[in-house]
Amino acid sequence: MLRTALRNVHAHKARLVMTALAVMLGVAFVSGTLVFGDMVASAFRAASTVSLKDVAVSVQAEYVPGAGAGGEAPTTVLDSRLVDRVRDLPGVTAVRPSVNGSATLARKDGEPLNADSSWQNLAADYVIGADGKDARHPLVSGRAPAAGSELALDTTTAEKAGYQIGDTVRFATTGPALTKKLVGIVRTEDPRVTAGGTLVLFDTRTAQGLFLSPGRFNEISVAAAPGTDQHALTERVRALLPKEGATATSGAELAAEQARQTAENTEALTKMLLVFAGIALFVGVFIIANTFTMLIAQRGREIALMRAVGASRRQVVRSVLVEAGLLGLGASAAGFVLGLGIAAGLRPLLNSAGAGLPDGPLVVAPTALLGSLTVGVLVTVLAAWLPSRKAAKIAPVEALSSIEASAPAGMRVRNALGALLTGAGVAVMLYVSTLDNGAETNLLLAMSGSFLTLAGTIVLAPLLSRPLVFLAGRVTTRFFGVSGKLAQENALRNPRRTAATASALMIGLTLITGLTVAGHSVDRAMSRAAVQGLTADYRVANSAYLGLDPKLADRIADVPGVAGATPLASAGLTVDGEYASVSGLDPKQLDKVADIDFTSGSAAALGPGRIAVSKTYAGRAGLRTGDIVTGRFDLDSGKPARLKQLTVVGVYAENRVVAGVVGDLGDVLPYAMDGGYDSVLVKAEPGRAAGLDREIRSALGDSPLLKVQSREQITREESGEIDVMLDMMYGLLGMAVVIAILGVINTLAMSVHERTREIGMLRAIGLDRTGIRRMVRLESVVISLFGAVLGIGTGVFLAWTGGSLTASGLPDYTTTVPWPRLALFLALAVLIGILASIWPAGRAARLNMLRAISSQ
């Protein structure tokens, strides 16, 4: 039986090529994900190893804010005297005090660099060691910064920004733009930088002036002599530290913690990618099962002969499964090699969505290889199991009596099961549509309902194919005549086969359509919410969320063309145990920049000691207009909480301009983050809005940190993440669609082989080669459209019923169907059908008429 299986694989290798490709692509996704996970984990570990090299003890300072925007710089408890005391400890061989901060660069053309990813815009001091170099930042060219007018950049940052040695670099840390001369370019392995961030280096004195205060540091790294007990040394260092404001951790503990975080981060990402790999393999199952079903139907005589000469049913099953296993093993091996390329391409794809993953070499672990091969073989064998059982049931006499394939068995049980699954799934999803929050139990319920609905649709697909293919056939017959009619009949000939082929495409389009409808609906809701109630023309904010200097509002107000500049500050407020963020502003300016819908009271009553609350917060805290309450201002500034008697003067509908509570600017500003404004809303004079953003930027020193956004830019920023996420999901689900296309090609090619004599007869009675090509092409289009209609319909239903779960986080959410994009999906289905039919249709048209008629 093993020799038989080997012979069958060799004899039918052309018919198995598409199935092998499907397995190969599915396994490639799995292997690529596994290798990618190992690669990322290794890159993080390598970066951690470099950063922790020779670190026996790390002393970290807690961030202690100063006056913030426009005031003193923050400071720490780590000073030069402490550094000297640590250096004098027994066993210490070197001490590296360092300063860390954040600096946002402007490109050479003046545009901000990484303004929306300020957490990756790193700044530090170039720490010169005993050898006159900084081991963490080795120089590539130039020299180290040595004066207040100099800086260095890493190679990637210099390249992205377009700077070279000798150029003047413009940047900002917390306020106005600064300029310094680029004197050196360094190399760094910090994962935040290699994943798309930036790095700016200053001499120590300059860095302290920018980020701390003279003689202060953020971190002290301690190196120890070989054989020194890290735990004992850490305890000695801790004894020197103040009671508050700093912590000491051994290098071993720090490495263990970083390893744990790395494992958590990469595990979650790997699991997410494996879900998409599983979808691709699941789609491949339909192709594998369809292929073996058709092969067994075509080899009925051969199997019957085997049974007649003594092969048992178990041996027949074993022969088919061995054949599938050999196919799966070969395809999986090729898929693993292809997966290495996928692993290399996943990092830039995910980083384009803001994942922040470091560079690193490919890491091929034995577990990834064995896991990929095992998955590929198991999936192929399991998919071939049902066809093998069917092969074992072939009666020798029955098969030898006719060369025609037996008629498909009845589908009553299948249809009943499909109706049961679909009905249960629809019922669950309709119940989900009545829920209004995304709690974990509700999400699990929605996932279960979606799975049941999709599974039921797949099971019912043969039944659904008849009316849908019949309707499509009416169109093809009307426009393409005999070829269209023949395409319809061929698609209806074996509903199971048609359904299995279309189901592969349906699964991919169901997921893509569901994501598209949900993403489009969220995008529209966020776009509406982003500027809901905002009547200002521009919003000025700090891209690093550091707060704006209060003096900036006056400068903005003095810009020609500005009718009003209203600053907003925020802090924390607790009333009767219920917390909310409170927006502080000048009540007299509110109506110039915002349209707040008050259900009771009015904005005119706002003032010192008087607040208005949103309907949601009023319900939570049990507040009504006229109530006098005691509020506690706290949280955001780090200052001690302050109690203040407040009067509720109004209740308003939620919007994105202000938070859950609105108060007077004078009450809120002392407790705002860094003592600065969150933003300044700008109203332009009539006809002066165009180009006013450039004037505002110029008046504020053109700092790369400042974001001056119009209403359209605010909307694009809010919805931009959704677009990036959808593009990434399309890329990940694209593999499933490609596999589905292979399934259509495979089914058509094997169907052409099955119908060789029939095609010869059609040629004999007058159907020319063009008609044969058209017949196969239309059959492919009909099958693809059937899968597309089922997938799009199911996807829209699941997105509609599941959309209610976003109601609590996005009250304006309503399901919005992007009809143009769905029409594009249908057009793509037609294109897929045409492309998938090129090879099978050409093969059918090239058949020799006489040989085809005489074939058995």
Side-chain angles (χ1 to χ4, degrees), residues 345-564:
L346 277 174
R347 190 194 66 83
L349 172 66
L350 295 176
N351 277 347
S352 67
L357 302 174
D359 287 322
L362 286 176
V363 178
V364 183
T367 53
L369 174 59
L370 293 175
S372 300
L373 295 179
T374 301
V375 167
V377 172
L378 282 178
V379 166
T380 310
V381 170
L382 289 175
W385 183 74
L386 283 178
S388 72
R389 299 282 295 176
K390 183 178 180 181
K393 294 178 181 178
I394 294 178
V397 174
E398 177 185 351
L400 289 171
S401 65
S402 174
I403 63 171
E404 300 294 333
S406 58
M411 295 188 293
R412 291 183 180 180
V413 175
R414 176 171 181 155
N415 292 340
L417 177 61
L420 181 64
L421 289 172
T422 305
V426 169
V428 170
M429 293 308 296
L430 289 176
Y431 172 71
V432 167
S433 68
T434 65
L435 306 175
D436 61 358
N437 68 81
E440 184 176 353
T441 53
N442 293 342
L443 289 175
L444 290 174
L445 190 63
M447 291 173 62
S448 301
S450 299
F451 177 77
L452 288 173
T453 303
L454 184 58
T457 305
I458 292 171
V459 176
L460 278 179
L463 179 64
L464 297 174
S465 68
R466 293 185 181 277
L468 293 178
V469 171
F470 178 79
L471 289 175
R474 295 289 295 272
V475 176
T476 58
T477 302
R478 180 177 180 85
F479 289 98
F480 300 100
V482 174
S483 295
K485 180 64 175 178
L486 289 171
Q488 178 197 42
E489 294 298 329
N490 289 333
L492 287 173
R493 179 179 302 183
N494 192 325
R496 292 175 184 268
R497 181 183 302 172
T498 298
T501 306
S503 292
L505 183 60
M506 181 199 76
I507 295 168
L509 281 178
T510 295
L511 297 173
I512 289 175
T513 300
L515 286 171
T516 299
V517 174
H520 181 73
S521 301
V522 170
D523 188 3
R524 293 291 296 271
M526 291 181 67
S527 297
R528 289 192 298 268
V531 292
Q532 183 182 24
L534 181 67
T535 58
D537 296 297
Y538 291 96
R539 183 179 68 188
V540 182
N542 189 308
S543 63
Y545 306 101
L546 296 174
L548 296 173
D549 187 338
K551 297 177 183 177
L552 296 184
D554 295 333
R555 295 185 195 174
I556 296 172
D558 292 337
V559 173
V562 172

Side-chain angles (χ1 to χ4, degrees), residues 100-104 118-124 172-174 211 544 546 705:
N100 304 311
S102 178
T104 300
S118 57
W119 64 275
Q120 288 182 282
N121 296 339
L122 309 182
T173 56
T174 58
F211 307 116
L546 296 174
L705 275 176

Side-chain angles (χ1 to χ4, degrees), residues 463-680:
L463 179 64
L464 297 174
S465 68
R466 293 185 181 277
L468 293 178
V469 171
F470 178 79
L471 289 175
R474 295 289 295 272
V475 176
T476 58
T477 302
R478 180 177 180 85
F479 289 98
F480 300 100
V482 174
S483 295
K485 180 64 175 178
L486 289 171
Q488 178 197 42
E489 294 298 329
N490 289 333
L492 287 173
R493 179 179 302 183
N494 192 325
R496 292 175 184 268
R497 181 183 302 172
T498 298
T501 306
S503 292
L505 183 60
M506 181 199 76
I507 295 168
L509 281 178
T510 295
L511 297 173
I512 289 175
T513 300
L515 286 171
T516 299
V517 174
H520 181 73
S521 301
V522 170
D523 188 3
R524 293 291 296 271
M526 291 181 67
S527 297
R528 289 192 298 268
V531 292
Q532 183 182 24
L534 181 67
T535 58
D537 296 297
Y538 291 96
R539 183 179 68 188
V540 182
N542 189 308
S543 63
Y545 306 101
L546 296 174
L548 296 173
D549 187 338
K551 297 177 183 177
L552 296 184
D554 295 333
R555 295 185 195 174
I556 296 172
D558 292 337
V559 173
V562 172
T566 303
L568 268 72
S570 67
L573 177 67
T574 302
V575 177
D576 291 340
E578 292 291 340
Y579 170 81
S581 181
V582 54
S583 296
L585 47 76
D586 181 356
K588 297 179 181 179
Q589 300 291 323
L590 179 59
D591 60 346
K592 295 182 180 179
V593 294
D595 182 15
I596 309 299
D597 181 18
F598 276 82
T599 58
S600 65
S602 68
L606 288 170
R610 299 192 295 275
I611 62 171
V613 296
S614 68
K615 288 196 294 186
T616 301
Y617 185 67
R620 281 177 22 223
L623 301 178
R624 292 181 298 179
T625 300
D627 287 349
I628 299 176
V629 298
T630 299
R632 188 183 75 228
F633 287 91
D634 55 8
L635 186 67
D636 287 343
S637 68
K639 297 179 180 179
R642 184 185 68 167
L643 298 178
K644 184 177 178 64
Q645 191 175 66
L646 302 169
T647 302
V648 179
V649 297
V651 178
Y652 56 88
E654 280 77 12
N655 65 85
R656 296 291 289 273
V657 181
V658 294
V661 179
V662 177
D664 185 77
L665 184 62
D667 290 336
V668 177
L669 188 58
Y671 287 84
M673 178 66 74
D674 294 331
Y677 298 145
D678 284 354
S679 61
V680 177

Side-chain angles (χ1 to χ4, degrees), residues 127-154:
V127 182
I128 299 177
D131 58 355
K133 300 178 181 178
D134 187 339
R136 294 189 184 180
H137 305 117
L139 279 166
V140 175
S141 61
R143 59 176 177 82
S149 60
E150 299 173 347
L151 57 74
L153 301 175
D154 75 282

